């Protein structure tokens, strides 16, 4: 029984370490995504129609909000 507990403890430590690694990777990917979204919004605002209508930017905002979980 003690051997099984030791094995499970080591496996749990490995899972927690892997979880932390994946969490950090997800955080970096989220930061990169936010930067790219900011750049896209900047480019869209630069190419905005002269009359001030910019429906593409609204579409981008709504799709990014629906992509969050």
């Amino acid at each position: 029984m003690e051997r099984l507990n030791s094995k499970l403890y080591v496996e749990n430590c490995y899972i927690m370490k892997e979880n932390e690694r994946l969490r950090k990777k997800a955080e970096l990917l989220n930061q990169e995504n936010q930067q790219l979204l900011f750049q896209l919004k900047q480019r869209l605002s630069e190419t905005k129609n002269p009359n001030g209508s910019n429906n593409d930017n609204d579409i981008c905002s709504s799709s990014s909000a629906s992509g969050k979980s």
Side-chain angles (χ1 to χ4, degrees):
M1 186 67 159
E2 190 174 320
R3 183 178 174 139
L4 177 61
N5 281 344
S6 295
K7 183 179 176 183
L8 290 174
Y9 174 79
V10 170
E11 187 177 344
N12 190 37
C13 288
Y14 172 76
I15 290 170
M16 288 190 305
K17 188 178 279 191
E18 182 72 3
N19 189 20
E20 184 63 27
R21 184 187 71 81
L22 291 172
R23 183 178 286 120
K24 288 178 182 178
K25 186 174 182 178
E27 185 178 340
L28 290 174
L29 288 171
N30 185 46
Q31 289 174 356
E32 182 182 1
N33 188 37
Q34 292 299 318
Q35 290 173 347
L36 290 171
L37 182 60
F38 177 75
Q39 290 174 6
L40 178 62
K41 286 182 177 182
Q42 277 187 322
R43 289 182 184 176
L44 286 173
S45 68
E46 290 171 2
T47 61
K48 188 162 81 170
N49 291 337
N51 63 5
S53 174
N54 192 3
N55 292 334
D56 290 339
N57 196 14
D58 293 338
I59 292 170
C60 182
S61 296
S62 64
S63 65
S64 66
S66 65
K68 292 184 179 179
S69 54

